[in-house]
C-alpha cells in the first residue's frame, strides 16, 4: 500500500465523493485516498438505505451511529434522558443512523443552542440516509460573488451527479390540485414560482431508487484504479509543514495504529461540524473558523386532507411524489411545501393503512437564519469527543428577526393546511439542529478579510494545497436543502484541484 497520494480526502459523504469522482474522471491515473472514520455498511458502498432490504437498512442505520452504534435510537435516548432538560425537546428528532453532537447540551444565558445537532459516521456519510430534496438556491440564497452562469453550470452538473428528477409544472393528479391551492395562497410578484420539489430519485420498474453517495462515486474503483476508500480510519489532523498541507495523520479505528501519509493535496469534507474540527486539530485556525454557524429553522406540521382532496378522487400518478414546493424568495425568506404521504415511496415507519391515514400530509416549512459571527461551534483545547478529537460546544442564539421568521413559518404552515384540510396539531419549531444542515463554519469568501475560511474554489486561505467541502462552505442564509449546492461547489473546486494535478503529472 502506497503511503504517498496525489489527494487525500477526509470524509466519504456527498462532498468528499464529488471531489473523488471529479478528480478521478479528470485524471484517471490519480492516486486518491478517501478515509472515513465510520464503517462500511451492508448492501454496497454508498448505497442509499432506502434501497436496501429491511434487515440491511436497519443494520446500516445501527452501524453509522458513531458512539451509539448498535443501540436503537429510542434506547440510546432513554440512557441520556435521565437528568436532561426536557425543555430542550430533542426527543422529536430521534432519527436512526445519527448520533447527537452532545447528548446533554448546556445552554448559556440567552442561548437557543442546537440541542439536536447530529452527525452520521459511515461510508457515504449522511448521503446514505438523506431525503434527496434537491432544490436550487434562489435569489439571495445564491452565492453573490460567483458568476451566475458559472453557478448554474455547477448546479446542472450536480443534478447530473445526483441523478435528480424534476417534474413539469403544471403536474397531474392530487399533487397538481395541492399545487394550485398553494399558488393561490402564496404566489406573488417577485416570488420564485411554486412547483414540485426536485428529488434525487429515479423510477426503475415502477419503484423508486434513491440516489446515495454511491451514485456520485459511480464506478470509480474501475475508472480510476488509483482510488482507494479506507473505512474505520480517523483523520486526526492534517500535517501542515512550512505553511503548506503535506499529509494527514490517520488512526486505524480497529487497531488504534497511527500512521502518516503524504499527500500533494488534502481535502477535508468531514461535515459541517467536523470539518472545522479537523482544521482546528491541525492548527489551522483562521478567525472565521467555526463561526457564522447557521442552519435554517424548521417548522414541522402534519395535516389531513379534506374531502375535496381525498386521494381516492384523483388519478394515480405513478413515478411522481407530488411534493409541492414553495421556494425561497427574498420577499419571503423561507421554503415550504406539502407532501402527501398516502402511497409515499418513503419508508417512514408509519402505519398509513386506514382511511384517515391515507389523508395524511407533511407540511415542512424552513426559514433562513440571520447570520451572526457569534453563532459558532467551539473546540476545546483539553477535552475530547468519543473519537479523541477536540470536543465541540455550540454557542447559538436567535435574533429578533429570527423570532419573527419562526412566527411566520408557523403561520405559513397553518395557512398551507387550511387550503387543503386541517392541521393535525399546531405547527411547532423543531429543536435546533434537527435540520441536519449546518452551514457557514468553513465559509467561502470573495476576499481574505477574516470573515471566511476558504476562497471561491474552497481553497483554505493561506494554506496552500488544503481544500474543504460540505455544507459548512455555504456563506449565505438559506432555507433550501443544501446538498445540491454543496455538490455543485465541490465539483467546481475539484475541477480546479484536478487542473493543478494535470499540470504536475
Ligand atoms: C435523514 C436525513 C435526511 C436528509 N435530507 C436531506 C434532503 O432532503 N436534502 C438535502 O439537501 N440534505 C438532506 N440531508 C443532509 C445531507 O445528507 C447532507 O447535506 C450531506 O450528506 C452533507 O454531505 P457531506 O459530505 O458534507 O457530509 P456527510 O454526509 O455528513 O459526510 C461526512 C463524513 O465525514 C466523516 N468524518 C468526519 N470526521 C472525520 C474524520 N476526522 N476522519 C475521517 N472521516 C471523518 C463522517 O463520518 C461522515 O461520514 C439529510 C440528512 C439526513 C441524515
Amino acid at each position: 500500500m502506497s503511503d504517498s497520494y496525489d489527494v487525500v480526502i477526509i470524509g466519504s459523504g456527498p462532498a468528499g465523493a464529488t471531489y473523488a469522482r471529479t478528480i478521478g474522471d479528470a485524471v484517471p491515473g490519480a492516486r486518491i485516498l478517501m478515509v472515513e472514520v465510520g464503517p462500511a455498511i451492508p448492501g454496497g458502498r454508498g448505497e442509499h438505505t432506502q434501497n436496501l432490504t429491511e434487515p440491511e437498512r436497519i443494520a446500516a442505520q445501527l452501524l453509522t451511529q458513531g458512539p451509539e452504534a448498535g443501540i436503537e435510537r429510542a434506547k440510546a435516548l432513554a440512557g441520556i434522558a435521565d437528568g436532561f432538560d426536557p425543555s430542550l425537546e430533542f426527543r422529536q428528532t430521534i432519527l436512526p443512523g445519527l448520533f447527537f453532537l452532545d447528548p446533554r447540551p448546556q445552554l448559556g444565558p440567552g442561548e437557543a443552542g442546537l440541542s439536536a445537532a447530529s452527525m452520521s459516521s459511515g461510508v457515504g456519510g449522511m448521503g446514505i440516509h438523506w431525503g434527496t430534496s434537491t432544490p436550487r438556491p434562489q435569489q439571495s440564497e445564491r452565492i453573490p460573488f460567483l458568476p451566475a452562469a458559472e453557478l448554474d453550470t455547477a448546479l446542472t452538473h450536480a443534478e447530473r451527479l445526483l441523478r435528480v428528477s424534476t417534474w413539469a409544472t403544471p403536474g397531474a393528479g392530487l399533487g397538481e390540485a395541492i399545487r394550485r391551492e398553494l399558488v393561490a395562497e402564496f404566489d406573488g410578484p417577485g416570488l420564485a414560482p411554486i412547483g414540485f420539489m426536485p428529488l434525487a430519485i429515479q423510477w426503475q420498474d415502477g419503484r423508486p431508487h434513491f440516489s446515495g453517495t454511491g451514485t456520485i462515486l459511480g464506478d470509480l474503483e474501475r475508472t480510476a484504479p488509483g482510488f482507494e476508500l479506507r473505512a474505520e480510519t480517523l483523520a486526526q489532523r492534517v500535517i501542515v509543514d512550512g505553511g503548506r498541507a503535506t499529509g494527514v495523520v490517520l488512526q486505524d479505528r480497529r487497531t488504534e495504529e497511527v500512521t502518516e501519509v503524504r499527500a500533494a493535496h488534502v481535502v477535508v469534507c468531514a461535515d459541517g461540524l467536523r470539518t472545522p474540527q479537523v482544521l482546528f486539530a491541525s492548527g489551522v485556525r483562521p478567525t472565521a473558523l467555526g463561526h457564522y454557524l447557521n442552519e435554517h429553522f424548521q417548522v414541522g406540521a402534519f395535516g389531513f386532507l379534506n374531502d375535496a382532496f381525498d386521494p381516492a378522487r384523483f388519478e394515480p400518478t405513478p413515478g411522481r411524489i407530488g411534493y409541492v414546493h414553495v421556494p425561497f424568495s427574498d420577499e419571503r425568506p423561507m421554503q415550504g411545501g406539502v407532501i402527501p404521504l398516502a402511497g409515499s415511496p418513503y419508508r417512514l415507519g408509519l402505519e398509513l393503512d386506514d382511511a384517515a391515514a391515507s389523508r395524511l400530509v407533511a407540511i415542512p416549512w424552513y426559514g433562513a437564519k440571520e447570520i451572526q459571527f457569534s453563532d459558532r461551534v467551539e473546540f476545546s483545547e483539553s477535552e475530547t469527543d468519543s473519537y479523541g478529537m477536540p470536543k465541540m460546544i455550540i454557542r447559538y442564539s436567535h435574533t429578533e428577526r429570527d423570532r419573527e421568521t419562526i412566527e411566520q413559518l408557523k403561520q405559513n404552515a397553518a395557512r398551507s393546511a387550511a387550503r387543503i384540510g386541517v392541521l393535525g396539531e399546531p405547527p411547532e419549531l423543531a429543536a435546533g439542529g434537527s435540520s441536519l444542515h449546518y452551514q457557514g463554519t468553513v465559509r467561502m469568501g470573495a476576499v481574505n478579510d477574516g470573515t471566511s475560511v476558504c476562497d471561491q474554489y474552497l481553497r483554505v486561505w493561506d494554506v496552500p494545497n488544503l481544500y474543504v467541502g460540505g455544507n459548512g462552505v455555504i456563506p449565505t442564509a438559506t432555507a433550501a436543502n443544501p446538498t445540491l449546492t454543496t455538490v455543485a461547489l465541490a465539483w467546481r473546486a475539484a475541477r480546479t484541484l484536478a487542473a493543478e494535478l494535470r499540470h504536475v503529472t
Side-chain angles (χ1 to χ4, degrees):
M1 202 180 292
S2 164
D3 64 352
S4 176
Y5 295 87
D6 294 312
V7 190
V8 172
I9 299 171
I10 300 169
S12 69
T18 303
Y19 269 99
R21 173 73 189 272
T22 309
I23 295 165
D25 282 356
V27 189
R31 289 156 302 160
I32 307 168
L33 174 65
M34 173 182 271
V35 295
E36 167 55 54
V37 66
I41 59 147
R45 70 106 171 84
E47 187 65 63
H48 197 295
T49 50
Q50 292 272 342
N51 303 331
L52 305 181
T53 63
E54 195 67 6
E56 283 174 340
R57 188 168 68 97
I58 292 166
Q61 288 170 337
L62 287 174
L63 277 167
T64 54
Q65 291 175 179
E68 291 163 19
I71 306 172
E72 278 174 34
R73 293 297 271 146
K75 284 197 195 127
L77 188 77
I80 58 170
D82 184 25
F84 92 92
D85 177 355
S87 69
L88 293 172
E89 285 185 350
F90 61 113
R91 276 177 178 278
Q92 59 186 301
T93 56
I94 313 167
L95 286 173
L98 306 177
F99 59 98
F100 289 124
L101 176 143
D102 185 351
R104 295 176 188 274
Q106 303 287 321
L107 302 188
E111 286 181 355
L114 294 181
S115 53
S118 300
M119 298 168 283
S120 186
S121 282
V123 168
M126 282 194 189
I128 61 167
H129 303 291
W130 71 315
T132 77
S133 296
T134 33
R136 283 192 173 213
Q138 302 287 333
Q139 302 184 9
S140 63
E141 288 184 311
R142 292 165 62 94
I143 295 138
F145 49 86
L146 296 188
E150 266 188 47
L151 179 58
D152 286 334
T153 303
L155 290 165
T156 302
H157 195 86
E159 283 164 351
R160 254 184 246 137
L161 270 179
L162 288 165
R163 303 194 64 201
V164 171
S165 302
T166 51
W167 287 276
T169 306
L174 175 62
E176 175 58 20
I178 296 174
R179 191 189 71 84
R180 278 200 299 266
E181 292 301 320
L182 295 197
V183 167
E185 186 69 29
F186 293 111
D187 202 12
L191 298 173
I194 294 170
F196 296 97
M197 178 63 86
L199 296 165
I201 292 178
Q202 314 85 48
W203 293 81
Q204 293 166 358
D205 305 325
R207 290 181 47 204
H209 184 270
F210 293 72
S211 296
T213 309
T215 309
I216 302 174
L217 286 172
D219 201 6
L220 199 55
E221 287 83 350
R222 191 182 58 77
T223 56
F227 170 67
E228 181 195 343
L229 169 53
R230 232 183 263 177
E232 295 187 67
T233 302
L234 172 74
Q236 292 182 323
R237 64 184 172 87
V238 178
I239 302 168
V240 180
D241 193 5
R244 316 173 79 80
T246 58
V248 183
V249 178
L250 301 175
Q251 185 200 42
D252 184 321
R253 296 276 301 155
R254 287 156 294 199
T255 63
E256 296 191 4
E257 190 191 353
V258 174
T259 51
E260 289 186 9
V261 293
R262 275 173 294 141
H265 299 84
V266 178
V267 181
V268 190
C269 294
D271 82 32
L273 299 168
R274 288 181 283 178
T275 294
Q277 182 188 47
V278 172
L279 265 52
F280 182 89
S282 312
V284 177
R285 301 177 184 181
T287 311
L289 189 75
H291 288 265
Y292 306 101
L293 169 62
N294 73 94
E295 67 146 11
H296 52 74
F297 300 111
Q298 191 168 326
V299 162
F302 281 93
F304 290 98
L305 297 166
N306 62 28
D307 289 347
F309 296 92
D310 181 347
R313 296 171 57 133
F314 295 87
E315 282 294 310
T317 51
R320 297 184 65 114
I321 287 177
Y323 176 169
V324 182
H325 172 222
V326 182
F328 173 102
S329 298
D330 292 353
E331 281 293 307
R332 184 181 51 227
M334 47 194 74
Q335 167 182 296
V338 171
I339 314 170
L341 293 178
S344 167
Y346 293 106
R347 289 189 276 171
L348 296 166
L350 298 173
E351 289 301 324
L352 293 175
D353 289 344
D354 63 31
S358 77
R359 306 250 184 133
L360 197 59
V361 291
I363 308 174
W365 275 83
Y366 306 145
K369 166 91 175 78
E370 190 173 19
I371 294 178
Q372 315 182 89
F373 176 80
S374 57
D375 290 328
R376 64 195 185 277
V377 50
E378 277 181 357
F379 304 98
S380 170
E381 295 277 8
S382 51
E383 291 181 76
T384 53
D385 66 13
S386 62
Y387 291 112
M389 297 294 283
K391 184 176 156 68
M392 295 186 259
I393 300 158
I394 303 278
R395 297 278 169 239
Y396 202 77
S397 59
H398 294 171
T399 67
E400 195 46 47
R401 196 186 328 151
D402 291 338
R403 285 185 273 277
E404 286 165 19
T405 302
I406 292 163
E407 272 321 299
Q408 269 180 36
L409 287 169
K410 290 181 184 172
Q411 285 168 21
N412 287 350
R415 284 168 61 192
S416 312
R419 275 273 165 190
I420 50 175
V422 290
L423 276 174
E425 53 187 23
E428 285 297 339
L429 177 68
S434 48
S435 82
L436 307 170
H437 304 150
Y438 314 120
Q439 302 184 174
T441 52
V442 286
R443 71 206 297 249
M444 60 200 289
V447 289
N448 185 5
D449 61 359
T451 65
S452 57
V453 169
C454 62
D455 71 7
Q456 60 157 303
Y457 294 106
L458 312 190
R459 297 176 290 208
V460 174
W461 297 115
D462 300 326
V463 187
N465 306 332
L466 182 58
Y467 285 70
V468 286
N471 300 336
V473 306
I474 297 174
T476 48
T478 68
N481 320 56
T483 308
L484 181 77
T485 303
T486 284
V487 168
L489 297 176
W491 175 72
R492 236 176 135 257
R495 283 180 15 124
T496 312
L497 196 161
E500 279 183 48
L501 270 186
R502 258 199 308 255
H503 186 66
V504 175
T505 49

